[in-house]
Amino acid sequence: MSIIKTRVGRRSFLKTSAAAGGGLMISFSWLASCSPGQTKEEILAMPDEWFDLNGYIKIGNNGVITLFNPNPEIGQNVMTSLPMIVAEELDVDWKKVIVEQGKLDEDAFKNPQFAGGSLSIKFGWNPLRMAGAAGRRMLLEAAAKEWQVDVSSLTTSEGMIKTADGSKTMGYGDIAAKAVGIEVPEELDLKDPKEYKIIGTHKKNVEGKKIITGKPLFGLDFKKEGMKLAMIQHPPAFGMQVKDFNRDEIVAMDGVLDAFIIDTTTEEPSWGEVNAFNKLVAIVGESTWQLMNAKKALRVSYETVSPLESTDTQTKMMQDALLKGGNVVDSRKDGDTEAAFAKAAKVIERTYSSPLIPHNTLEPMNFYADVQENSAWLIGPTQTPKSLEDAASKLLGMPVENIEVEMTRIGGGFGRRLYVHFGLEAAAISKQFGAPIKMIYTREDDMTQGTYRPAYISTYKAGLDENNNLIAFSVKGVGLPEGAVFPNRFPAGAVDNYTAEKINTETNVSTGAWRAPRSHFTAGAEQSFLDEVAELAGKDPIDFRMELFERAKNNPVGDKYDYDADRYAGVLKLVKEKCNWGKETQGVHRGVAAYFCHSSYVAEVMDVVMENGQPKVQKVWAATDCGIVINKEGAINIIEGGIIDGIGHAMYSELTLENGKPSHNNFNSYQLIRHAQAPKEIEVHFVENEIDPTGLGEPGLPPAQGALANALYKATGKRYYHTPFSTKKQEQINLEVG
């Protein structure tokens, strides 16, 4: 058992209340101010009365527990894993827990409500445990008073309280109302991880049945009586802006109610308002079919307001910035790399690149908006509801307290829905039309709108001494617009002479976070390069990495680096053991990669075989250290998904520009990984420890590209430097200033 201080005090941490029907409401600072949503009534009998007050934990008079999930659900399964934390410390029967989506209220939250950065579990771990433990302690105190016994003589199990001799038992619902007002001690007893009954087990997605039976959970599902539908048309190229269009012809079409130009530009836009196309044509009508026909009939005049960029010119600009040094925004220097390279017995230098990539979420952008004179109601799939609320306040000239944002379940985010332009577009359309609307993107709108993953180029260089020890290492990376170099990550701290430079450039193409921002590229490039260095040194690729971790652990260079060498080495050891490294069968070609990001460590080994002259990923092993695993079912799923996503984008994904115009606008030409191209088997393992949990939404993806590249080299004899692997010429870039 461990002890945790409630720290923030009773008033700010915990509030309790009761209702005439009996029961207990617990409201606490990290989680507060929600309202009820859907419940699993088909499974649980509802209590006679719930507490109609703000809060995130409710105990009904029949012992049923409700937890409101504060964060957006984008498939990372927080609606299951976050409640498991509370249920564990509250000591309840998981079958009696129901989960509902909370509303936006960051004032009560005292923590940001968003889905991104793999942070939901990491941020929620201590507050949620405190809330569960506080509730359990209050119930025990109430029972002790009722039975006139010492509280230390009582125990709990699955929502029941028992005396030491077992002569008396009581359900939480029986005593919940009497627990109201009981003081929470300054320190709370928390379970020892060895006592966990819920955390660390396999729990199915609490919304799984609703999803597979087609219940209306997503933004596209949302309907409100009286609402109309809307679609938009943005310019065909980055650098263009809408001037006017054939409005009279469009509004005369069947099912079209109005058409006009909107502008979502605000003063001092936040990072979440990234948008290359603030001025758009909007069409409002009765059905999507009628609106799509109206879009086909549009004749829009555009003006060019900035250069129309092409991929070739962008690539040349990045190459020039890389060679000249460009706008260096972050760097590190240990020792003297130039001198070390000069005296090295062997030197190797390689350049890696990756193109712009759209997010391509399964659910296209959409949002409902009902903007009235003094209020606005916005409902839809957003990863950053507070950012949308603030931006809408600026756009509409309305106090933020008059705007209500509600979150639906999200049909794919990957960082795309961190940005709020589509919610603002819905608000602008509703305001001008004067009625509630739901704005829906077509796939073509979505794929050509921007907010792409940036393009990257990075050059790595390594020097070995006469004994094949790594004595110098450098990395210099440029991005469009942000470079993908993390100066204090591995192998920083493991090499005497080390330099790293991150270089930014400028573009009028809108870009944004994409699952494991920058790490998804850096992991592939770095881990591919380390394999080539290991080969040059005549060393096993895992052994070579382990040597570097030993140096970082026992005699680190410098006093700042971002990773824990022991944990990093730990996932490599585990994956090496599980895959029987070095004992692969004939015809199987094996690659390895390991990476640290978002506070978690993942190592992957990938087996590739050749089928009909084409490489096929046969099996993947993954070893992960994310601290305590809350829900193993969800954790396995998200690592598997990251691996498949990483393989697919490394092999196939690319979006190019010609005079500002995207080369693809739908899946008939833009290739994503198909079922037949996915690994036949994925085996996921976790390092068992009692370290506070970190996130998993992103860390499983980055190692996949490196492991794939290294396995492909074994299978084909060719090194892979540029994604997508299936179409790019795999040759070194000639860096010459243009």
Side-chain angles (χ1 to χ4, degrees), residues 199-213:
I199 290 174
T201 62
H202 294 254
K203 299 298 181 189
K204 296 294 184 184
N205 188 326
V206 296
E207 291 199 307
K209 184 175 181 181
K210 295 177 185 177
I211 293 169
I212 64 174
T213 56

Side-chain angles (χ1 to χ4, degrees), residues 495-551:
V495 188
D496 286 325
N497 304 287
Y498 171 88
T499 59
E501 292 183 355
K502 173 184 171 182
I503 302 169
N504 289 0
T505 57
E506 294 184 358
T507 178
N508 61 18
V509 179
S510 59
T511 62
W514 190 97
R515 192 175 188 178
R518 295 180 288 149
S519 295
H520 51 248
F521 167 75
T522 296
E526 171 201 287
Q527 292 293 303
S528 299
F529 182 65
L530 286 176
D531 251 47
E532 205 162 346
V533 177
E535 183 179 54
L536 183 66
K539 297 178 180 179
D540 175 88
I542 292 183
D543 291 344
F544 177 67
R545 289 167 172 82
M546 297 300 285
E547 287 179 11
L548 296 176
F549 289 132
E550 283 298 310
R551 172 65 193 276

Side-chain angles (χ1 to χ4, degrees), residues 21 49 133 136 173 183 270 359 368 443 618:
E49 191 165 357
R136 177 178 175 273
E183 290 291 327
S270 69
H359 293 78
Y368 169 87
R443 178 62 62 190
Q618 185 177 62

Side-chain angles (χ1 to χ4, degrees), residues 523-729:
E526 171 201 287
Q527 292 293 303
S528 299
F529 182 65
L530 286 176
D531 251 47
E532 205 162 346
V533 177
E535 183 179 54
L536 183 66
K539 297 178 180 179
D540 175 88
I542 292 183
D543 291 344
F544 177 67
R545 289 167 172 82
M546 297 300 285
E547 287 179 11
L548 296 176
F549 289 132
E550 283 298 310
R551 172 65 193 276
K553 181 175 66 172
N554 298 321
N555 188 23
V557 180
D559 58 1
K560 185 178 181 182
Y561 50 106
D562 294 342
Y563 59 94
D564 182 315
D566 255 344
R567 296 180 71 185
Y568 220 145
V571 292
L572 268 173
K573 291 176 183 176
L574 181 59
V575 81
K576 180 180 181 180
E577 171 197 333
K578 295 300 182 181
C579 76
N580 290 316
W581 181 262
K583 299 178 181 178
E584 52 267 35
T585 57
Q586 187 174 1
V588 174
H589 312 282
R590 181 165 284 183
V592 65
Y595 199 69
F596 160 78
C597 69
H598 300 83
S599 304
S600 295
Y601 303 79
V602 181
E604 294 169 8
V605 168
M606 201 169 291
D607 278 359
V608 167
V609 296
M610 300 299 291
E611 294 182 358
N612 300 318
Q614 295 297 316
K616 168 71 178 176
V617 179
Q618 185 177 62
K619 184 170 181 177
V620 182
W621 289 262
T624 302
D625 184 350
C626 60
I628 294 170
V629 180
I630 307 301
N631 179 15
K632 287 190 175 177
E633 179 90 7
I636 290 170
N637 290 344
I638 207 161
I639 293 294
E640 291 174 337
I643 290 168
I644 295 170
D645 210 15
I647 293 171
H649 289 296
M651 285 296 295
Y652 309 112
S653 294
E654 178 181 29
L655 188 138
T656 59
L657 301 174
E658 184 65 37
N659 293 322
K661 185 176 181 179
S663 55
H664 303 286
N665 65 13
N666 211 321
F667 297 132
N668 63 318
S669 62
Y670 187 95
Q671 186 173 353
L672 292 175
I673 191 169
R674 299 328 196 228
H675 284 289
Q677 295 161 335
K680 293 181 179 179
E681 184 179 357
I682 300 175
E683 193 175 296
V684 180
H685 301 273
F686 297 96
V687 174
E688 299 289 341
N689 58 43
E690 297 180 5
I691 299 170
D692 286 358
T694 50
L696 279 182
E698 287 148 300
L701 184 148
Q705 179 178 320
L708 176 63
N710 294 331
L712 288 173
Y713 168 66
K714 298 288 183 64
T716 66
K718 180 172 64 174
R719 289 286 180 185
Y720 288 78
Y721 303 105
H722 315 294
T723 62
F725 294 157
S726 63
T727 58
K728 284 284 187 182
K729 291 183 179 179

